[in-house]
Amino acid sequence: MMPIEMLSHLKVMESYAFVAPVLFILVHVLRPLLFVPVLLLCITGGVIFGLLAGTVYSIIGLMISSSLFYLIIHTLPALQKRFKKLEERLLGKQLSLNTFQLVLLRMLPFIHFHMLSFCIYKKSVSFHSYLRTTLFTIIPVAIFYTTLGKTIQEVSLYYAIPLIIVILILAYFVRQKKAIIKWNHFFSKEVA
């Protein structure tokens, strides 16, 4: 092969090195429209880019996606109402998740990513606080699933199922505990 041909092949490879991360981040941004699970993309990032780069690209993509979600939900009250109904149906009317619970629930593959983004949206007082909480909840997910992608050949189902059970148990124990007493029951004359 001639040196000029080698240089042209090297330039083509360098251009792909720039395009691949941009396309990966773009897929993260378009993920809700494509119905691709977050964990699948993070695992793919670990397989393609390795642990460090895959984690960084996943965090960037998820942050952009979450920012767009905030802007969309903030400008469309009808969508906000739909998410509120969905939240009430899935989590109950009185349940308010704390940040640690949100981190744990984001780790579970079958929990809707933007449903949890809506929970963060509701408890945030500003866009800045939303981004801070979102980043805090995204980093563990990106690290965990990218690491899983990097070591996918070594992980068996026997380790994955107990891990999911442990995360569910942790989410249960760190929940906010509230006692709700109805007005009529509190002021009733009957003593229990």
Side-chain angles (χ1 to χ4, degrees):
M1 195 181 278
M2 304 279 276
I4 295 173
E5 289 177 22
M6 289 175 67
L7 274 172
S8 67
H9 286 299
L10 186 60
K11 289 195 182 264
V12 168
M13 288 174 36
E14 284 176 357
S15 68
Y16 284 128
F18 174 73
V19 171
V22 172
L23 287 176
F24 182 72
I25 290 170
L26 184 63
V27 170
H28 262 294
V29 172
L30 297 175
R31 179 196 53 75
L33 301 174
L34 302 172
F35 301 107
V36 177
V38 170
L39 80 108
L40 183 62
L41 278 179
C42 290
I43 289 171
T44 304
V47 170
I48 295 172
F49 301 110
L51 181 60
L52 183 61
T55 301
V56 170
Y57 299 151
S58 288
I59 290 171
I60 292 169
L62 290 171
M63 285 301 293
I64 293 170
S65 176
S66 296
S67 299
L68 290 174
F69 173 81
Y70 180 93
L71 296 173
I72 290 169
I73 201 86
H74 194 69
T75 56
L76 297 174
L79 189 59
Q80 217 176 94
K81 288 178 186 177
R82 289 185 68 192
F83 265 99
K84 188 162 180 68
K85 286 180 184 177
L86 180 63
E87 179 193 35
E88 288 174 358
R89 194 173 55 190
L90 295 175
L91 302 174
K93 288 185 178 186
Q94 304 298 330
L95 184 62
S96 176
L97 300 172
N98 62 36
T99 305
F100 189 66
Q101 282 177 305
L102 290 166
V103 169
L104 292 173
L105 289 174
R106 283 226 199 250
M107 300 289 282
L108 298 174
F110 48 84
I111 303 293
H112 192 278
F113 183 83
H114 284 306
M115 183 69 240
L116 296 175
S117 294
F118 180 71
C119 293
I120 295 171
Y121 171 81
K122 278 188 9 184
K123 66 186 273 179
S124 298
V125 294
S126 67
F127 182 62
H128 181 70
S129 68
Y130 171 82
L131 288 179
R132 190 174 349 116
T133 305
T134 299
L135 181 63
F136 183 74
T137 63
I138 284 175
I139 289 174
V141 172
I143 291 171
F144 178 78
Y145 285 117
T146 305
T147 304
L148 182 63
K150 185 70 178 147
T151 59
I152 194 84
Q153 297 85 4
E154 300 170 16
V155 176
S156 75
L157 193 58
Y158 296 112
Y159 295 116
I161 291 173
L163 180 64
I164 290 173
I165 291 171
V166 167
I167 291 172
L168 283 172
I169 291 170
L170 282 172
Y172 175 77
F173 282 117
V174 298
R175 74 186 190 284
Q176 291 179 341
K177 295 159 184 90
K178 294 182 187 177
I180 298 172
I181 301 171
K182 296 193 183 234
W183 184 266
N184 293 340
H185 181 70
F186 183 77
F187 288 107
S188 70
K189 294 182 181 182
E190 298 177 20
V191 178

